Amino acid sequence: MPLIEFRNVSKYYPGNIVAVKDITLIIEEGEFVSIVGQSGTGKTTLVRLLIAEEPLSEGRILVAGWDITNIHTNEVPILRKQIGVVFQDFKLLPTKTVFENVAFALEVSNADKNRIQSIVPQLLKIVGLQEKAERFPHELSGGEQQRVVIARALAHRPKILVADEPTGNLDSINTKEIVELLKKINEFGTTVILVTHNKDTVNELKRRVIMIDQGRVQSDHQKGRYLLK
Amino acid sequence: MLIAFYRILRFAGQNFWRNIWLSLVTVTILTLSLISVSALSIISTLSNEALSRLEEKINISVYLKPTLKLAEIDSFKKQIEALPDLKSVNLINADEALKSFKERYQNNPLIAESLLAIGSNPLGSSLTIKVSSDQGYQKILDELESDKFKAYIQEARFDDYRRVISTVNDLTGKLKRIGYGVSLVFVLIALLVVFNTIRLNIYTHREEIGIMRLVGATSWFIRAPLMVESIFYAALATAICALIFYPALSALQPYVSSFFDGFDFNLINYYNERWFIFWPALFVGCSLLSILASTVAMRKYLKI
Ligand SMILES: Nc1ncnc2c1ncn2[C@@H]1O[C@H](COP(=O)(O)OP(=O)(O)OP(=O)(O)O)[C@@H](O)[C@H]1O
Ligand SMILES: [Mg+2]
């Protein structure tokens, strides 16, 4: 059973906007998949469909065999615990420390104090920020902030980590670090989906690359490169 | 479960403090609504009390000739009691009448002196008649005018409070209508203000709420702090209302006492005897109002 399956998925927005058109995709457990494509071709839409942030217009989406096409609002939190999400704009809470920001993900789903005290340091260690647990977001570099977001996305030990342009606001050194971190997370067994604009990143990864163009899959290569038309 | 409860309380507290001015405005308007509803309650308590006392006062006093013998008085009373529609017939004999007369004027030396000068009891016995229906009084009065009673009666006096009652009724009716109007306006404003406060809180916390949703917080967990916050506003407003209510009652009491001249009616006691209905009712009402407004705000602005 594939971990993620898109079957003829389309998404239309009001006003005849076709964001995603007839996409069929299978992503297996443990894969590291890059999704590339020009701006406005539907990459973020694809992510939002996967995490049930938007309803789809046509087709079906299955996550580990679970048909989330018509997922009920009450079930969305269950899905979100299986999919960690990282977006380009960091979205850390400015009034909380690094530790508290990561702990927040656990707090809002009834984790008790002991579990929080044991899990958060582990997560911070994975992203290499255990020394900076008591800092506030504005005392961190962009790359460090994004690493906190990744730690938070991992709080529920999700099977899937989706990162939508996590390096969009970062310089090349920080970008490399983030990509290395994602590779490490992938090696631990988490399936990683990386949406990116960055050609170098994709070329260095030498992993599967799905190119989206105007809402459709244009190419899907197992050891791909970011080929520009 | 307990830890979730604690976190919800904490989030609610944070909501309250972060928009403290807004919270104060919200509590103020809820308090004003509660005060106007309480005032309405006081008005209707007073008017009900006044009306029932006044109704109690309506009676016909029949003063009998002082020369009547006891047996004659008795037979007269029996004849009266045989009349239809009576509620009660009370005999006050001459001695009792004198006693209460003396008591009433005990501070008046002139009256005491005159009584002494007369020597014997100048007062006769009297009957106090109450009729069960409003229309019955005229019939009894007509009856008393008739010849068969002439020998007994010195004077029949009808203490008619019906005019007073209708005046009181009109006045309190007007006051109540004003009370309802003011309360309604305050409640409507309160609904809008609470709605707006929760809307603004959702806006202030949009990042936090967004993150909560992304990391899989249940919608209950996101809504609960806002609910708790609305109930908290109601609780605070009820408490403040109580802090104003009792001093206001104390201030009002002298006027009430003088209005209820002779009867002892104590507003504070009245409400003290009923606090366990009055305050929970206000609190629950206020909470429902607050929850209603915040539910609408959440429906509209919390996309979960
Ligand atoms: N909420 C929305 N309402 C209407 N149209 C939308 C909405 N969200 C996205 N779109 C449209 O859908 C299309 C795909 O948008 P999407 O954000 O998925 O692109 P993208 O590939 O992520 O672009 P970028 O690389 O710039 O992030 C665009 O044409 C966009 O304008
Ligand atoms: Mg995008």
Side-chain angles (χ1 to χ4, degrees), chain B residues 171-201:
Chain B
L171 181 70
T172 58
K174 259 180 213 141
L175 279 177
K176 273 193 222 169
R177 270 196 296 281
I178 294 171
Y180 281 122
V182 170
S183 301
L184 189 70
V185 168
F186 275 130
V187 164
L188 287 179
I189 296 175
L191 276 169
L192 283 175
V193 169
V194 173
F195 170 83
N196 198 48
T197 302
I198 297 297
R199 186 181 70 93
L200 243 121
N201 267 334

PDB file of all heavy atoms in Angstrom, chain B residues 171-201:
ATOM      1  N   LEU B 171     -47.615  53.858  37.011  1.00  0.00           N
ATOM      2  CA  LEU B 171     -46.247  54.341  37.208  1.00  0.00           C
ATOM      3  C   LEU B 171     -45.253  53.194  37.049  1.00  0.00           C
ATOM      4  O   LEU B 171     -44.301  53.280  36.276  1.00  0.00           O
ATOM      5  CB  LEU B 171     -46.129  54.948  38.609  1.00  0.00           C
ATOM      6  CG  LEU B 171     -44.745  55.503  38.935  1.00  0.00           C
ATOM      7  CD1 LEU B 171     -44.499  56.757  38.121  1.00  0.00           C
ATOM      8  CD2 LEU B 171     -44.619  55.797  40.425  1.00  0.00           C
ATOM      9  N   THR B 172     -45.500  52.086  37.757  1.00  0.00           N
ATOM     10  CA  THR B 172     -44.526  50.994  37.686  1.00  0.00           C
ATOM     11  C   THR B 172     -44.554  50.353  36.304  1.00  0.00           C
ATOM     12  O   THR B 172     -43.536  49.895  35.813  1.00  0.00           O
ATOM     13  CB  THR B 172     -44.786  49.938  38.769  1.00  0.00           C
ATOM     14  OG1 THR B 172     -46.109  49.439  38.614  1.00  0.00           O
ATOM     15  CG2 THR B 172     -44.591  50.507  40.149  1.00  0.00           C
ATOM     16  N   GLY B 173     -45.744  50.365  35.686  1.00  0.00           N
ATOM     17  CA  GLY B 173     -45.819  49.852  34.321  1.00  0.00           C
ATOM     18  C   GLY B 173     -44.895  50.639  33.408  1.00  0.00           C
ATOM     19  O   GLY B 173     -44.131  50.075  32.625  1.00  0.00           O
ATOM     20  N   LYS B 174     -44.945  51.949  33.562  1.00  0.00           N
ATOM     21  CA  LYS B 174     -44.080  52.810  32.746  1.00  0.00           C
ATOM     22  C   LYS B 174     -42.618  52.521  33.054  1.00  0.00           C
ATOM     23  O   LYS B 174     -41.784  52.357  32.142  1.00  0.00           O
ATOM     24  CB  LYS B 174     -44.397  54.284  33.038  1.00  0.00           C
ATOM     25  CG  LYS B 174     -45.262  54.899  31.961  1.00  0.00           C
ATOM     26  CD  LYS B 174     -45.560  56.358  32.287  1.00  0.00           C
ATOM     27  CE  LYS B 174     -46.951  56.733  31.774  1.00  0.00           C
ATOM     28  NZ  LYS B 174     -47.688  57.609  32.697  1.00  0.00           N
ATOM     29  N   LEU B 175     -42.297  52.479  34.350  1.00  0.00           N
ATOM     30  CA  LEU B 175     -40.912  52.212  34.756  1.00  0.00           C
ATOM     31  C   LEU B 175     -40.431  50.877  34.187  1.00  0.00           C
ATOM     32  O   LEU B 175     -39.315  50.755  33.691  1.00  0.00           O
ATOM     33  CB  LEU B 175     -40.800  52.185  36.277  1.00  0.00           C
ATOM     34  CG  LEU B 175     -40.716  53.548  36.956  1.00  0.00           C
ATOM     35  CD1 LEU B 175     -40.680  53.375  38.463  1.00  0.00           C
ATOM     36  CD2 LEU B 175     -39.479  54.302  36.474  1.00  0.00           C
ATOM     37  N   LYS B 176     -41.323  49.875  34.254  1.00  0.00           N
ATOM     38  CA  LYS B 176     -40.927  48.561  33.749  1.00  0.00           C
ATOM     39  C   LYS B 176     -40.675  48.605  32.254  1.00  0.00           C
ATOM     40  O   LYS B 176     -39.726  48.010  31.766  1.00  0.00           O
ATOM     41  CB  LYS B 176     -42.026  47.537  34.055  1.00  0.00           C
ATOM     42  CG  LYS B 176     -41.883  46.913  35.432  1.00  0.00           C
ATOM     43  CD  LYS B 176     -42.798  45.705  35.524  1.00  0.00           C
ATOM     44  CE  LYS B 176     -43.471  45.680  36.874  1.00  0.00           C
ATOM     45  NZ  LYS B 176     -44.547  44.697  36.950  1.00  0.00           N
ATOM     46  N   ARG B 177     -41.554  49.323  31.561  1.00  0.00           N
ATOM     47  CA  ARG B 177     -41.352  49.405  30.109  1.00  0.00           C
ATOM     48  C   ARG B 177     -40.013  50.053  29.792  1.00  0.00           C
ATOM     49  O   ARG B 177     -39.269  49.602  28.925  1.00  0.00           O
ATOM     50  CB  ARG B 177     -42.487  50.173  29.438  1.00  0.00           C
ATOM     51  CG  ARG B 177     -43.626  49.256  29.008  1.00  0.00           C
ATOM     52  CD  ARG B 177     -44.539  49.964  28.019  1.00  0.00           C
ATOM     53  NE  ARG B 177     -45.206  51.114  28.616  1.00  0.00           N
ATOM     54  CZ  ARG B 177     -46.269  51.017  29.415  1.00  0.00           C
ATOM     55  NH1 ARG B 177     -46.777  49.842  29.694  1.00  0.00           N
ATOM     56  NH2 ARG B 177     -46.822  52.106  29.917  1.00  0.00           N
ATOM     57  N   ILE B 178     -39.695  51.125  30.526  1.00  0.00           N
ATOM     58  CA  ILE B 178     -38.388  51.765  30.338  1.00  0.00           C
ATOM     59  C   ILE B 178     -37.281  50.763  30.658  1.00  0.00           C
ATOM     60  O   ILE B 178     -36.319  50.606  29.915  1.00  0.00           O
ATOM     61  CB  ILE B 178     -38.249  53.017  31.234  1.00  0.00           C
ATOM     62  CG1 ILE B 178     -39.236  54.086  30.776  1.00  0.00           C
ATOM     63  CG2 ILE B 178     -36.824  53.557  31.210  1.00  0.00           C
ATOM     64  CD1 ILE B 178     -39.347  55.273  31.713  1.00  0.00           C
ATOM     65  N   GLY B 179     -37.465  50.039  31.769  1.00  0.00           N
ATOM     66  CA  GLY B 179     -36.479  49.035  32.181  1.00  0.00           C
ATOM     67  C   GLY B 179     -36.252  47.988  31.100  1.00  0.00           C
ATOM     68  O   GLY B 179     -35.126  47.663  30.758  1.00  0.00           O
ATOM     69  N   TYR B 180     -37.365  47.492  30.527  1.00  0.00           N
ATOM     70  CA  TYR B 180     -37.230  46.497  29.457  1.00  0.00           C
ATOM     71  C   TYR B 180     -36.494  47.086  28.268  1.00  0.00           C
ATOM     72  O   TYR B 180     -35.607  46.460  27.695  1.00  0.00           O
ATOM     73  CB  TYR B 180     -38.612  45.994  29.011  1.00  0.00           C
ATOM     74  CG  TYR B 180     -39.209  44.960  29.929  1.00  0.00           C
ATOM     75  CD1 TYR B 180     -40.435  45.156  30.546  1.00  0.00           C
ATOM     76  CD2 TYR B 180     -38.533  43.773  30.171  1.00  0.00           C
ATOM     77  CE1 TYR B 180     -40.980  44.211  31.399  1.00  0.00           C
ATOM     78  CE2 TYR B 180     -39.067  42.811  31.021  1.00  0.00           C
ATOM     79  CZ  TYR B 180     -40.292  43.035  31.637  1.00  0.00           C
ATOM     80  OH  TYR B 180     -40.815  42.094  32.464  1.00  0.00           O
ATOM     81  N   GLY B 181     -36.871  48.316  27.928  1.00  0.00           N
ATOM     82  CA  GLY B 181     -36.233  48.965  26.775  1.00  0.00           C
ATOM     83  C   GLY B 181     -34.742  49.111  26.980  1.00  0.00           C
ATOM     84  O   GLY B 181     -33.936  48.703  26.129  1.00  0.00           O
ATOM     85  N   VAL B 182     -34.367  49.668  28.146  1.00  0.00           N
ATOM     86  CA  VAL B 182     -32.950  49.895  28.430  1.00  0.00           C
ATOM     87  C   VAL B 182     -32.200  48.566  28.451  1.00  0.00           C
ATOM     88  O   VAL B 182     -31.125  48.427  27.863  1.00  0.00           O
ATOM     89  CB  VAL B 182     -32.782  50.640  29.774  1.00  0.00           C
ATOM     90  CG1 VAL B 182     -31.323  50.668  30.197  1.00  0.00           C
ATOM     91  CG2 VAL B 182     -33.324  52.051  29.664  1.00  0.00           C
ATOM     92  N   SER B 183     -32.796  47.563  29.102  1.00  0.00           N
ATOM     93  CA  SER B 183     -32.145  46.250  29.172  1.00  0.00           C
ATOM     94  C   SER B 183     -31.940  45.690  27.778  1.00  0.00           C
ATOM     95  O   SER B 183     -30.874  45.170  27.448  1.00  0.00           O
ATOM     96  CB  SER B 183     -32.975  45.272  29.985  1.00  0.00           C
ATOM     97  OG  SER B 183     -33.158  45.767  31.279  1.00  0.00           O
ATOM     98  N   LEU B 184     -32.963  45.804  26.963  1.00  0.00           N
ATOM     99  CA  LEU B 184     -32.878  45.261  25.607  1.00  0.00           C
ATOM    100  C   LEU B 184     -31.746  45.928  24.837  1.00  0.00           C
ATOM    101  O   LEU B 184     -30.941  45.262  24.169  1.00  0.00           O
ATOM    102  CB  LEU B 184     -34.213  45.470  24.886  1.00  0.00           C
ATOM    103  CG  LEU B 184     -34.333  44.757  23.546  1.00  0.00           C
ATOM    104  CD1 LEU B 184     -34.432  43.253  23.779  1.00  0.00           C
ATOM    105  CD2 LEU B 184     -35.530  45.253  22.756  1.00  0.00           C
ATOM    106  N   VAL B 185     -31.677  47.265  24.966  1.00  0.00           N
ATOM    107  CA  VAL B 185     -30.613  47.994  24.265  1.00  0.00           C
ATOM    108  C   VAL B 185     -29.246  47.521  24.753  1.00  0.00           C
ATOM    109  O   VAL B 185     -28.357  47.207  23.949  1.00  0.00           O
ATOM    110  CB  VAL B 185     -30.762  49.517  24.491  1.00  0.00           C
ATOM    111  CG1 VAL B 185     -29.519  50.250  24.019  1.00  0.00           C
ATOM    112  CG2 VAL B 185     -31.991  50.028  23.756  1.00  0.00           C
ATOM    113  N   PHE B 186     -29.108  47.411  26.080  1.00  0.00           N
ATOM    114  CA  PHE B 186     -27.820  46.972  26.628  1.00  0.00           C
ATOM    115  C   PHE B 186     -27.483  45.557  26.171  1.00  0.00           C
ATOM    116  O   PHE B 186     -26.345  45.258  25.825  1.00  0.00           O
ATOM    117  CB  PHE B 186     -27.817  47.035  28.149  1.00  0.00           C
ATOM    118  CG  PHE B 186     -27.476  48.395  28.673  1.00  0.00           C
ATOM    119  CD1 PHE B 186     -28.256  49.012  29.634  1.00  0.00           C
ATOM    120  CD2 PHE B 186     -26.346  49.057  28.200  1.00  0.00           C
ATOM    121  CE1 PHE B 186     -27.932  50.269  30.113  1.00  0.00           C
ATOM    122  CE2 PHE B 186     -26.020  50.310  28.685  1.00  0.00           C
ATOM    123  CZ  PHE B 186     -26.821  50.920  29.633  1.00  0.00           C
ATOM    124  N   VAL B 187     -28.478  44.695  26.161  1.00  0.00           N
ATOM    125  CA  VAL B 187     -28.225  43.308  25.762  1.00  0.00           C
ATOM    126  C   VAL B 187     -27.776  43.258  24.305  1.00  0.00           C
ATOM    127  O   VAL B 187     -26.833  42.550  23.949  1.00  0.00           O
ATOM    128  CB  VAL B 187     -29.479  42.434  25.997  1.00  0.00           C
ATOM    129  CG1 VAL B 187     -29.376  41.126  25.231  1.00  0.00           C
ATOM    130  CG2 VAL B 187     -29.656  42.165  27.480  1.00  0.00           C
ATOM    131  N   LEU B 188     -28.449  44.055  23.466  1.00  0.00           N
ATOM    132  CA  LEU B 188     -28.060  44.070  22.051  1.00  0.00           C
ATOM    133  C   LEU B 188     -26.636  44.587  21.884  1.00  0.00           C
ATOM    134  O   LEU B 188     -25.823  44.008  21.148  1.00  0.00           O
ATOM    135  CB  LEU B 188     -29.031  44.927  21.242  1.00  0.00           C
ATOM    136  CG  LEU B 188     -30.411  44.298  21.025  1.00  0.00           C
ATOM    137  CD1 LEU B 188     -31.320  45.228  20.236  1.00  0.00           C
ATOM    138  CD2 LEU B 188     -30.268  42.968  20.286  1.00  0.00           C
ATOM    139  N   ILE B 189     -26.329  45.687  22.600  1.00  0.00           N
ATOM    140  CA  ILE B 189     -24.970  46.226  22.513  1.00  0.00           C
ATOM    141  C   ILE B 189     -23.979  45.184  23.022  1.00  0.00           C
ATOM    142  O   ILE B 189     -22.931  44.944  22.418  1.00  0.00           O
ATOM    143  CB  ILE B 189     -24.834  47.541  23.325  1.00  0.00           C
ATOM    144  CG1 ILE B 189     -25.728  48.614  22.712  1.00  0.00           C
ATOM    145  CG2 ILE B 189     -23.385  48.018  23.326  1.00  0.00           C
ATOM    146  CD1 ILE B 189     -25.763  49.900  23.505  1.00  0.00           C
ATOM    147  N   ALA B 190     -24.342  44.535  24.127  1.00  0.00           N
ATOM    148  CA  ALA B 190     -23.446  43.529  24.700  1.00  0.00           C
ATOM    149  C   ALA B 190     -23.176  42.407  23.702  1.00  0.00           C
ATOM    150  O   ALA B 190     -22.042  41.957  23.539  1.00  0.00           O
ATOM    151  CB  ALA B 190     -24.040  42.966  25.986  1.00  0.00           C
ATOM    152  N   LEU B 191     -24.232  41.972  23.007  1.00  0.00           N
ATOM    153  CA  LEU B 191     -24.056  40.929  21.994  1.00  0.00           C
ATOM    154  C   LEU B 191     -23.029  41.366  20.958  1.00  0.00           C
ATOM    155  O   LEU B 191     -22.103  40.620  20.614  1.00  0.00           O
ATOM    156  CB  LEU B 191     -25.386  40.631  21.296  1.00  0.00           C
ATOM    157  CG  LEU B 191     -26.333  39.652  21.990  1.00  0.00           C
ATOM    158  CD1 LEU B 191     -27.694  39.668  21.312  1.00  0.00           C
ATOM    159  CD2 LEU B 191     -25.744  38.254  21.981  1.00  0.00           C
ATOM    160  N   LEU B 192     -23.185  42.591  20.486  1.00  0.00           N
ATOM    161  CA  LEU B 192     -22.265  43.099  19.463  1.00  0.00           C
ATOM    162  C   LEU B 192     -20.845  43.202  19.997  1.00  0.00           C
ATOM    163  O   LEU B 192     -19.884  42.835  19.316  1.00  0.00           O
ATOM    164  CB  LEU B 192     -22.725  44.484  18.984  1.00  0.00           C
ATOM    165  CG  LEU B 192     -23.903  44.451  18.018  1.00  0.00           C
ATOM    166  CD1 LEU B 192     -24.359  45.861  17.690  1.00  0.00           C
ATOM    167  CD2 LEU B 192     -23.492  43.729  16.732  1.00  0.00           C
ATOM    168  N   VAL B 193     -20.733  43.708  21.244  1.00  0.00           N
ATOM    169  CA  VAL B 193     -19.395  43.914  21.799  1.00  0.00           C
ATOM    170  C   VAL B 193     -18.690  42.575  22.027  1.00  0.00           C
ATOM    171  O   VAL B 193     -17.519  42.409  21.673  1.00  0.00           O
ATOM    172  CB  VAL B 193     -19.459  44.730  23.111  1.00  0.00           C
ATOM    173  CG1 VAL B 193     -18.120  44.719  23.825  1.00  0.00           C
ATOM    174  CG2 VAL B 193     -19.866  46.160  22.815  1.00  0.00           C
ATOM    175  N   VAL B 194     -19.412  41.610  22.587  1.00  0.00           N
ATOM    176  CA  VAL B 194     -18.787  40.300  22.811  1.00  0.00           C
ATOM    177  C   VAL B 194     -18.393  39.676  21.472  1.00  0.00           C
ATOM    178  O   VAL B 194     -17.278  39.169  21.311  1.00  0.00           O
ATOM    179  CB  VAL B 194     -19.740  39.352  23.570  1.00  0.00           C
ATOM    180  CG1 VAL B 194     -19.139  37.961  23.645  1.00  0.00           C
ATOM    181  CG2 VAL B 194     -19.996  39.874  24.975  1.00  0.00           C
ATOM    182  N   PHE B 195     -19.306  39.764  20.521  1.00  0.00           N
ATOM    183  CA  PHE B 195     -19.017  39.253  19.179  1.00  0.00           C
ATOM    184  C   PHE B 195     -17.722  39.865  18.648  1.00  0.00           C
ATOM    185  O   PHE B 195     -16.826  39.168  18.177  1.00  0.00           O
ATOM    186  CB  PHE B 195     -20.193  39.605  18.253  1.00  0.00           C
ATOM    187  CG  PHE B 195     -19.935  39.358  16.800  1.00  0.00           C
ATOM    188  CD1 PHE B 195     -20.090  38.091  16.265  1.00  0.00           C
ATOM    189  CD2 PHE B 195     -19.535  40.392  15.971  1.00  0.00           C
ATOM    190  CE1 PHE B 195     -19.846  37.862  14.923  1.00  0.00           C
ATOM    191  CE2 PHE B 195     -19.293  40.170  14.626  1.00  0.00           C
ATOM    192  CZ  PHE B 195     -19.451  38.896  14.105  1.00  0.00           C
ATOM    193  N   ASN B 196     -17.641  41.165  18.794  1.00  0.00           N
ATOM    194  CA  ASN B 196     -16.473  41.869  18.271  1.00  0.00           C
ATOM    195  C   ASN B 196     -15.201  41.508  19.032  1.00  0.00           C
ATOM    196  O   ASN B 196     -14.131  41.370  18.445  1.00  0.00           O
ATOM    197  CB  ASN B 196     -16.725  43.375  18.343  1.00  0.00           C
ATOM    198  CG  ASN B 196     -15.784  44.124  17.438  1.00  0.00           C
ATOM    199  OD1 ASN B 196     -15.635  43.750  16.278  1.00  0.00           O
ATOM    200  ND2 ASN B 196     -15.131  45.131  17.975  1.00  0.00           N
ATOM    201  N   THR B 197     -15.329  41.352  20.348  1.00  0.00           N
ATOM    202  CA  THR B 197     -14.163  40.989  21.157  1.00  0.00           C
ATOM    203  C   THR B 197     -13.614  39.630  20.740  1.00  0.00           C
ATOM    204  O   THR B 197     -12.406  39.462  20.547  1.00  0.00           O
ATOM    205  CB  THR B 197     -14.542  40.937  22.648  1.00  0.00           C
ATOM    206  OG1 THR B 197     -15.055  42.214  23.010  1.00  0.00           O
ATOM    207  CG2 THR B 197     -13.337  40.602  23.498  1.00  0.00           C
ATOM    208  N   ILE B 198     -14.512  38.673  20.586  1.00  0.00           N
ATOM    209  CA  ILE B 198     -14.064  37.335  20.204  1.00  0.00           C
ATOM    210  C   ILE B 198     -13.488  37.370  18.790  1.00  0.00           C
ATOM    211  O   ILE B 198     -12.459  36.758  18.501  1.00  0.00           O
ATOM    212  CB  ILE B 198     -15.236  36.324  20.310  1.00  0.00           C
ATOM    213  CG1 ILE B 198     -15.703  36.220  21.761  1.00  0.00           C
ATOM    214  CG2 ILE B 198     -14.818  34.957  19.790  1.00  0.00           C
ATOM    215  CD1 ILE B 198     -14.681  35.686  22.740  1.00  0.00           C
ATOM    216  N   ARG B 199     -14.130  38.128  17.917  1.00  0.00           N
ATOM    217  CA  ARG B 199     -13.614  38.275  16.558  1.00  0.00           C
ATOM    218  C   ARG B 199     -12.184  38.816  16.606  1.00  0.00           C
ATOM    219  O   ARG B 199     -11.286  38.311  15.940  1.00  0.00           O
ATOM    220  CB  ARG B 199     -14.509  39.240  15.779  1.00  0.00           C
ATOM    221  CG  ARG B 199     -14.164  39.380  14.324  1.00  0.00           C
ATOM    222  CD  ARG B 199     -15.105  40.384  13.671  1.00  0.00           C
ATOM    223  NE  ARG B 199     -14.850  41.731  14.135  1.00  0.00           N
ATOM    224  CZ  ARG B 199     -14.029  42.574  13.511  1.00  0.00           C
ATOM    225  NH1 ARG B 199     -13.410  42.203  12.423  1.00  0.00           N
ATOM    226  NH2 ARG B 199     -13.825  43.787  13.995  1.00  0.00           N
ATOM    227  N   LEU B 200     -11.988  39.858  17.436  1.00  0.00           N
ATOM    228  CA  LEU B 200     -10.660  40.447  17.523  1.00  0.00           C
ATOM    229  C   LEU B 200      -9.659  39.495  18.139  1.00  0.00           C
ATOM    230  O   LEU B 200      -8.489  39.472  17.769  1.00  0.00           O
ATOM    231  CB  LEU B 200     -10.722  41.736  18.336  1.00  0.00           C
ATOM    232  CG  LEU B 200     -10.327  42.908  17.462  1.00  0.00           C
ATOM    233  CD1 LEU B 200     -11.433  43.905  17.385  1.00  0.00           C
ATOM    234  CD2 LEU B 200      -9.047  43.520  17.954  1.00  0.00           C
ATOM    235  N   ASN B 201     -10.142  38.703  19.102  1.00  0.00           N
ATOM    236  CA  ASN B 201      -9.253  37.715  19.701  1.00  0.00           C
ATOM    237  C   ASN B 201      -8.842  36.662  18.684  1.00  0.00           C
ATOM    238  O   ASN B 201      -7.694  36.232  18.670  1.00  0.00           O
ATOM    239  CB  ASN B 201      -9.925  37.049  20.898  1.00  0.00           C
ATOM    240  CG  ASN B 201      -9.566  37.758  22.179  1.00  0.00           C
ATOM    241  OD1 ASN B 201      -8.509  38.390  22.252  1.00  0.00           O
ATOM    242  ND2 ASN B 201     -10.417  37.683  23.163  1.00  0.00           N
TER     243      ASN B 201
END
